[in-house]
Amino acid sequence: MRHLISVAALALFPVLATAADGLDWAYPVTPRPEPLDTLVLKQVPGSERAYTQAQIDDAFNPPDWFPDEHPTMPPIVARGEKPAVRACALCHLPSGDGHPESSSLAGLPVSYLMRQLAAFKSGDRTGVRATTMITIAQAISDADALAASEYFASLKPGIWTDVIETETVPKTYVGAGGMRFVAPGDEQEPIGNRIIVLPQNPHLAELRDPHSGFIDYVPTGSIVKGAALMAGGEGKTITCTICHGPNLPGLGEVPSIAGRPATYIFRQLNDMKIGNRKGPWVELMKQVVEKLDDNDMIALSAYLGSLDP
């Protein structure tokens, strides 16, 4: 298990987003993008490649900083298909580890990935975070959907997030790519009932460096509470290992959940509870989430995120 208890020093950026009563921490709204620089070439450590910020955020040709570290990407993953199907690598990265606004796909079963694309297309997956994927799923061809699913299934998930328990977090704002950054002033605030995700290196996160991950700050005591809930919570829920297997690597079409980013896990649990995810497989999960409140789902997500994938 990966469980860090120290708080790292983080860089500062403008515009605040303070604690809220709702779930804006889990479903951040991406601000209107600023014009992107098309002149200055940028690099990340260890890569000989260079891109402008406009190229880095190009939805139809995002950067591949380390092409030797993964299999050859299918065209749909590397470049997408204009006008509606963005390159999968834009949000999920060539590594499949993803960014906080998306999800980690590396190592998920082909059948599971195909089923999710079908759910976005049919309306079985909805909600504010599903809008982009609904558009993509409705436009992607069956052949490209299969090629993308097979690519991400072939990847091994990495240790992409560190889970840190804390009472307080820096004040933050939502910036480029729907990511959260530290606000100026070095101010702290109670974490409350939230998971606050910050990049380990804000600059490299904006460059979509697949070597630079994220920190999931969670309320103190979350991991122990989440471990108890994973085991059934004395009848409050159902032990995860029944379907996801010992050590939670997944079984058959059931996905692995160990080491997946905590905010992503929370969104899925909450979406299943409130009806934004439907279908016969989700009905099985309804028994898991129906008695869980937000604090329970935060704790369970923190525990799962703290595990090695």
Side-chain angles (χ1 to χ4, degrees):
M1 178 188 295
R2 295 171 292 110
H3 177 202
L4 307 182
I5 57 173
S6 61
V7 177
L10 297 160
L12 305 177
F13 286 84
V15 189
L16 293 181
T18 56
D21 292 330
L23 296 177
D24 59 328
W25 58 266
Y27 301 88
V29 177
T30 303
R32 186 184 300 273
E34 299 288 336
L36 297 174
D37 177 72
T38 61
L39 299 175
V40 179
L41 289 173
K42 300 180 178 182
Q43 292 185 284
V44 303
S47 175
E48 297 179 355
R49 298 194 167 195
Y51 305 91
T52 67
Q53 194 64 50
Q55 291 173 321
I56 290 166
D57 290 342
D58 184 348
F60 298 98
N61 194 23
D64 186 3
W65 294 107
F66 302 99
D68 295 335
E69 294 185 359
H70 57 78
T72 300
M73 290 187 287
I76 197 65
V77 175
R79 296 185 296 278
E81 182 71 33
K82 293 182 179 180
V85 183
R86 300 181 188 181
C88 307
L90 176 73
C91 296
H92 301 287
L93 304 182
S95 65
D97 289 319
H99 267 192
E101 84 283 1
S102 61
S103 60
S104 166
L105 303 182
L108 292 175
V110 172
S111 54
Y112 176 81
L113 293 170
M114 291 291 287
R115 183 154 42 87
Q116 299 318 303
L117 285 169
F120 284 119
K121 184 176 182 178
S122 70
D124 278 350
R125 287 192 66 165
T126 58
V128 63
R129 300 305 301 176
T131 303
T132 298
M133 281 305 305
I134 290 170
T135 300
I136 290 171
Q138 290 175 343
I140 195 170
S141 70
D142 291 344
D144 282 340
L146 180 59
S149 298
E150 289 177 338
Y151 173 77
F152 287 113
S154 73
L155 303 176
K156 183 179 179 180
I159 295 178
W160 189 231
T161 56
D162 289 327
V163 177
I164 297 178
E165 292 190 340
T166 183
E167 299 285 348
T168 61
V169 289
K171 286 192 174 182
T172 59
Y173 72 98
V174 178
M179 290 183 286
R180 194 170 288 276
F181 299 93
V182 178
D186 245 349
E187 294 184 72
Q188 298 278 316
E189 64 181 359
I191 191 169
N193 299 320
R194 300 180 296 165
I195 300 170
I196 296 298
V197 183
L198 291 170
Q200 294 173 359
N201 183 309
H203 174 65
L204 295 180
E206 290 187 311
L207 300 187
R208 301 183 183 276
D209 180 358
H211 289 176
S212 186
F214 294 84
I215 302 170
D216 291 348
Y217 291 97
V218 301
T220 300
S222 294
I223 292 178
V224 169
K225 179 180 178 181
L229 287 165
M230 187 280 297
E234 296 183 353
K236 191 169 191 179
T237 184
I238 299 170
T239 178
C240 303
T241 56
I242 291 176
C243 294
H244 296 275
N247 301 319
L248 311 174
L251 291 172
E253 284 194 50
V254 178
S256 62
I257 53 175
R260 301 286 171 187
T263 46
Y264 174 74
I265 292 289
F266 178 90
R267 286 197 298 266
Q268 304 323 300
L269 294 172
N270 187 61
D271 284 352
M272 291 172 188
K273 183 173 183 178
I274 66 176
N276 283 346
R277 288 189 63 169
K278 304 180 181 71
W281 288 81
V282 177
E283 288 303 311
L284 299 174
M285 282 295 299
K286 287 289 184 67
Q287 303 171 59
V288 174
V289 299
E290 61 184 354
K291 296 179 183 178
L292 301 181
D293 59 24
D294 289 353
N295 294 341
D296 294 330
M297 291 188 288
I298 288 171
L300 185 54
S301 302
Y303 170 73
L304 295 174
S306 74
L307 302 176
D308 288 337

